[in-house]
Amino acid sequence: MSKAKRLNEMIMMVNRKRRFTVAELAQEFQVSRRTILRDLQELSEMGVPLYSEVGPHGGYQVLKERILPPIAFSEDEAAAIFFVLHALRQYISVPFDAEYESIKKKFYLNLTGSIRDTIDHMKDRVDFMTTAQQEVIPHLKELLEAAIHQDVITIQYESKTKKSERNIQPIGIYAQEGNWYCPSYCFVSQDYRVFRCDRIKRVEINDKIEPIDLSHIHLKNRFSILNENKETYDIHVELTARGVERFKSVSWPVLVLNKRDDGTGYVSGTFTKQDTDFMAEFFLSYHKEARILKPEELIQRTKEKVNELLKQYEL
Amino acid sequence: MSKAKRLNEMIMMVNRKRRFTVAELAQEFQVSRRTILRDLQELSEMGVPLYSEVGPHGGYQVLKERILPPIAFSEDEAAAIFFVLHALRQYISVPFDAEYESIKKKFYLNLTGSIRDTIDHMKDRVDFMTTAQQEVIPHLKELLEAAIHQDVITIQYESKTKKSERNIQPIGIYAQEGNWYCPSYCFVSQDYRVFRCDRIKRVEINDKIEPIDLSHIHLKNRFSILNENKETYDIHVELTARGVERFKSVSWPVLVLNKRDDGTGYVSGTFTKQDTDFMAEFFLSYHKEARILKPEELIQRTKEKVNELLKQYEL
DNA sequence: TATAATAGTGACATAACATGTCACTGTTAA
DNA sequence: TTAACAGTGACATGTTATGTCACTATTATA
């Protein structure tokens, strides 16, 4: 095996093993200890964060910030990565600000001339208008990591009215209308709750509480599971062709858009009682393009909303 | 200089030069012609798309799809790239589907063990709820490229009512509410127009028309420039604290949110006459959380809208 | 049509680099 | 005290990279 190939494979191997000894690698790669020592020194110089301890139970360790073997991207791929990094960061706070900068730097070092200009110009030529105010969400990364590793965490949560401390186990994170939310199992209320991530002021891993098994629940299926014991309504809303167009840009997992051949359509599905207010306001904003047929409770609530509007505009 | 370093620099050099001869490179890198030939063969094997022609004015050329020198990313950077690629594609159609697949493949080949699992799990743990229907927008990439290179293109545009063919020069592309839009200078109407990208059915570069100088206009400043000659209204809308919260997730360049210490605030700015209808519906959807004070035309239009609602809900 | 500019190959010597071996130093847990 | 580990330096040897040279082949253009 050539040296270059051996080094690449060595990066992957040490990343996988985390701890290893020189003799061990010498055995695996069928080269001498001396060669492995020289290779490890080269990896260090390349940026692999290695650390060694002598003595029994000593050996090498790879620290955090492990690096991958070098990858050659095409210019189009580089442009795609820049595009999505730039675009998504415009759209919403993402938990990777430091990484964005370092990725940018690495690419810039390897780009010359026209492609560099292309990428520079892209910044002025792509925009995301529905952007929320760019407030940094400090604990988003920790929440995502807790969701991935299924850790229990202790958070301090500040809702509009009160502060509280809770132990939760995140299911995932999702973005909606420019905000990040974190649906989780809450050990305090012993039920599932959705937390708005910018209101989570402190996150600490809590290894005293045993995580519950959420492996079957993730973001795609949580609605059907979590709504099981709640009071729900069946909904039916007729949409004009324009209404259909508009509804297409919304997608709630619980509401389904059914199109007809003539362009009109209707919304069906179920929603929980506590969302009645939201649904009333939502379909009211469609004006003539939406007509609620079911449920009666939603129609009633909508009428009340119109009455409130009436008063405000003194007709 | 070591061979590895020379090869990396050679990738960058040939990418920059596009056309070159063997003797030229031999001179620049201070090695023999024979070595350069061997190096170029290696680059070819590494995937650099080289093509050569013999004879006077012959030489080497790099074809499209140029590749960059290999870059070593950290695992965190790889995770960030995966996150944004995955997230943005959930949110909206992006003109980089092929690149997404090839980037994924390249990373997967270089990932092992835990980090691979982390990335696999991320897919189930991150979601974007405001996602538009995932309709592929066929010409988005060409529009972006035309905007970057300031090309004039001929498009076929299908609005709700009619089809037309136009020559336009794109300023950029932007995403709003799950749709892509392309503000451009239109040579047919001799004015700036915004086109919805999914209604653009054909794109061809038109090199017969000379591009106009749009270099001073880009997405960030186009509103102030383009609205210069249009009839506009000054707006003032009072918002409650809840209204402020809600308005934060909107950001139109022309409307500014002014916050007060008590949490309430107001919206100020200007909008064009033709947007009156949209503004009326928009602030109506805020119900009690928004109160329009200016302009009179907008208040009037809003009252008409409420009247229409009245009829629909038969109060 | 001759010429010069270009790519490309093969063979060989030599230079540079990579590897293995070995004898050694140093640290530390058990 | 011992064994398990990292680490170094020197040197011989094996492998790869490079240069040189003599060659072939193609093609634009003077």
Side-chain angles (χ1 to χ4, degrees):
Chain A
M1 194 193 303
S2 76
K3 188 187 170 187
K5 205 176 165 200
R6 188 179 68 234
L7 288 182
N8 278 346
E9 290 194 16
M10 202 176 290
I11 293 178
M12 288 171 70
M13 177 164 297
V14 301
N15 278 345
R16 196 175 56 243
K17 281 177 128 75
R18 312 284 188 93
R19 301 181 119 266
F20 57 92
T21 67
V22 174
E24 209 176 309
L25 288 192
Q27 171 64 28
E28 301 222 40
F29 287 104
Q30 290 289 298
V31 293
S32 67
R33 271 186 66 233
R34 191 64 182 88
T35 301
I36 294 291
L37 278 164
R38 286 193 269 239
D39 286 352
L40 288 174
Q41 208 188 334
E42 270 196 61
L43 291 194
S44 262
E45 281 158 17
M46 285 168 60
V48 180
L50 295 172
Y51 164 79
S52 66
E53 269 175 354
V54 295
H57 308 297
Y60 270 87
Q61 277 172 259
V62 197
L63 308 180
K64 35 67 232 167
E65 274 299 308
R66 294 175 286 164
I67 70 155
L68 309 185
I71 303 174
F73 289 106
S74 74
E75 289 190 349
D76 283 355
E77 288 162 355
I81 289 173
F82 260 90
F83 180 96
V84 295
L85 274 172
H86 177 69
L88 195 65
R89 278 165 46 91
Q90 276 196 325
Y91 173 62
I92 200 164
S93 162
V94 290
F96 294 110
D97 283 342
E99 285 78 10
Y100 173 72
E101 291 304 330
S102 59
I103 290 168
K104 200 166 120 179
K105 215 157 133 193
K106 285 185 183 174
F107 272 120
Y108 259 66
L109 283 176
N110 291 284
L111 293 172
T112 49
S114 67
I115 178 70
R116 199 159 166 167
D117 294 344
T118 298
I119 283 174
D120 278 339
H121 284 136
M122 201 150 70
K123 286 188 201 127
D124 294 333
R125 304 290 171 189
V126 179
D127 207 350
F128 274 70
M129 305 299 280
T130 41
T131 310
Q133 233 73 346
Q134 282 297 336
E135 284 167 29
V136 174
I137 304 194
H139 301 296
L140 197 52
K141 198 171 189 172
E142 289 153 275
L143 294 170
L144 176 59
E145 275 165 12
I148 289 171
H149 303 126
Q150 287 297 289
D151 294 326
V152 176
I153 54 177
T154 303
I155 62 167
Q156 191 182 322
Y157 192 70
E158 294 187 4
S159 71
K160 274 176 226 161
T161 48
K162 60 170 192 261
K163 294 183 187 184
S164 61
E165 194 171 275
R166 292 154 182 267
N167 297 314
I168 66 170
Q169 181 176 340
I171 296 173
I173 57 176
Y174 67 83
Q176 189 166 38
E177 300 286 333
N179 285 310
W180 281 106
Y181 298 88
C182 181
S184 313
Y185 181 80
C186 174
F187 288 89
V188 176
S189 45
Q190 307 239 344
D191 197 2
Y192 297 93
R193 291 276 183 280
V194 178
F195 300 96
R196 221 174 85 176
C197 296
D198 58 336
R199 294 185 177 149
I200 295 175
K201 299 299 180 187
R202 193 164 47 79
V203 173
E204 263 163 37
I205 293 202
N206 182 328
D207 43 18
K208 294 194 193 87
I209 298 179
E210 194 61 28
I212 60 172
D213 181 19
L214 296 178
S215 55
H216 58 295
I217 303 182
H218 44 74
L219 288 178
K220 301 291 180 198
N221 66 10
R222 74 198 159 85
F223 284 100
S224 46
I225 294 176
L226 305 192
N227 282 342
E228 266 166 5
N229 303 317
K230 300 213 174 125
E231 194 174 348
T232 58
Y233 296 129
D234 285 342
I235 192 171
H236 184 132
V237 179
E238 283 291 325
L239 297 177
T240 62
R242 271 192 66 194
V244 167
E245 271 300 301
R246 190 164 158 191
F247 193 83
K248 273 161 82 175
S249 70
V250 184
S251 85
W252 294 314
V254 287
L255 296 192
V256 181
L257 173 62
N258 308 273
K259 295 186 213 176
R260 298 202 188 84
D261 286 343
D262 62 356
T264 69
Y266 63 96
V267 174
S268 58
T270 56
F271 66 94
T272 59
K273 189 178 173 182
Q274 70 214 47
D275 289 335
T276 311
D277 232 55
F278 177 80
M279 290 291 169
E281 292 200 4
F282 178 77
F283 286 111
L284 206 43
S285 73
Y286 274 58
H287 303 272
K288 286 181 292 191
E289 316 302 343
R291 182 165 205 90
I292 304 166
L293 301 185
K294 248 189 359 186
E296 189 53 46
E297 287 83 354
L298 184 56
I299 299 174
Q300 203 49 51
R301 194 72 197 87
T302 308
K303 286 184 180 175
E304 290 168 30
K305 292 263 173 199
V306 178
N307 264 325
E308 289 168 4
L309 277 177
L310 261 183
K311 280 178 205 141
Q312 179 166 359
Y313 288 94
E314 299 145 18
L315 291 166
Chain B
M1 194 194 303
S2 76
K3 187 188 173 188
K5 205 175 167 201
R6 189 178 67 236
L7 288 181
N8 279 346
E9 290 194 15
M10 202 176 291
I11 293 178
M12 288 172 70
M13 180 164 295
V14 302
N15 279 344
R16 194 175 58 243
K17 282 178 129 77
R18 312 292 268 272
R19 297 181 120 267
F20 56 93
T21 66
V22 175
E24 208 178 309
L25 289 192
Q27 171 63 30
E28 300 222 40
F29 286 105
Q30 291 289 299
V31 292
S32 67
R33 272 185 67 236
R34 191 64 180 86
T35 301
I36 294 291
L37 280 164
R38 287 193 270 241
D39 285 353
L40 289 174
Q41 208 189 331
E42 270 195 61
L43 291 195
S44 262
E45 281 157 18
M46 284 168 61
V48 180
L50 295 172
Y51 164 79
S52 68
E53 269 176 354
V54 296
H57 308 300
Y60 270 86
Q61 277 174 258
V62 197
L63 308 180
K64 38 64 233 164
E65 272 298 309
R66 295 174 287 162
I67 72 155
L68 308 185
I71 302 174
F73 288 106
S74 73
E75 290 189 349
D76 284 353
E77 288 161 356
I81 290 172
F82 259 90
F83 180 95
V84 294
L85 275 172
H86 177 70
L88 196 65
R89 279 164 48 89
Q90 276 196 327
Y91 172 62
I92 199 164
S93 163
V94 157
F96 294 110
D97 283 342
E99 284 79 8
Y100 174 71
E101 291 304 329
S102 59
I103 290 168
K104 201 167 118 177
K105 215 158 133 191
K106 285 184 183 174
F107 271 122
Y108 258 67
L109 284 176
N110 291 284
L111 293 172
T112 50
S114 66
I115 178 71
R116 199 157 167 169
D117 294 344
T118 298
I119 283 173
D120 279 338
H121 284 136
M122 202 150 68
K123 286 187 199 128
D124 295 332
R125 304 288 172 191
V126 179
D127 207 351
F128 274 70
M129 306 299 281
T130 40
T131 310
Q133 232 74 346
Q134 281 298 337
E135 284 165 28
V136 174
I137 302 190
H139 301 295
L140 197 52
K141 199 171 188 170
E142 289 154 274
L143 293 171
L144 176 60
E145 277 165 12
I148 289 171
H149 302 125
Q150 286 297 288
D151 295 326
V152 176
I153 54 178
T154 303
I155 62 167
Q156 192 182 322
Y157 192 69
E158 296 187 2
S159 73
K160 273 176 227 162
T161 49
K162 61 170 192 263
K163 295 184 187 183
S164 61
E165 195 171 275
R166 293 155 181 266
N167 297 314
I168 66 169
Q169 182 176 338
I171 295 174
I173 58 176
Y174 67 84
Q176 188 165 40
E177 300 285 331
N179 286 310
W180 282 105
Y181 297 89
C182 181
S184 312
Y185 180 80
C186 174
F187 287 90
V188 176
S189 44
Q190 307 235 348
D191 197 2
Y192 298 93
R193 290 277 183 277
V194 178
F195 300 96
R196 221 175 83 176
C197 297
D198 58 335
R199 294 184 175 149
I200 295 175
K201 299 298 180 188
R202 193 163 48 77
V203 171
E204 263 163 37
I205 293 202
N206 182 328
D207 42 19
K208 294 193 196 86
I209 299 179
E210 194 60 28
I212 60 171
D213 181 18
L214 295 178
S215 56
H216 58 294
I217 302 184
H218 45 73
L219 288 177
K220 300 291 182 200
N221 65 9
R222 73 196 159 86
F223 284 99
S224 47
I225 293 175
L226 305 191
N227 283 342
E228 267 167 5
N229 303 318
K230 300 212 172 126
E231 192 173 350
T232 58
Y233 295 129
D234 285 342
I235 191 171
H236 184 131
V237 179
E238 282 291 324
L239 297 176
T240 62
R242 271 191 66 194
V244 168
E245 271 300 302
R246 191 164 158 190
F247 192 84
K248 274 162 80 175
S249 69
V250 184
S251 85
W252 294 312
V254 287
L255 296 192
V256 181
L257 172 62
N258 308 273
K259 295 186 212 175
R260 298 201 188 85
D261 286 344
D262 62 357
T264 69
Y266 63 97
V267 174
S268 59
T270 56
F271 65 96
T272 59
K273 189 179 174 181
Q274 69 214 47
D275 290 336
T276 312
D277 231 54
F278 177 82
M279 288 290 168
E281 291 200 5
F282 178 78
F283 285 112
L284 206 43
S285 74
Y286 274 59
H287 303 272
K288 287 181 292 191
E289 316 302 342
R291 181 163 208 92
I292 303 165
L293 301 186
K294 252 193 349 190
E296 190 54 46
E297 288 82 355
L298 184 56
I299 299 173
Q300 202 50 50
R301 193 73 198 85
T302 308
K303 285 182 179 175
E304 290 168 32
K305 291 266 172 195
V306 179
N307 265 323
E308 288 167 5
L309 277 176
L310 262 182
K311 280 178 204 139
Q312 178 168 357
Y313 288 94
E314 297 144 17
L315 291 168

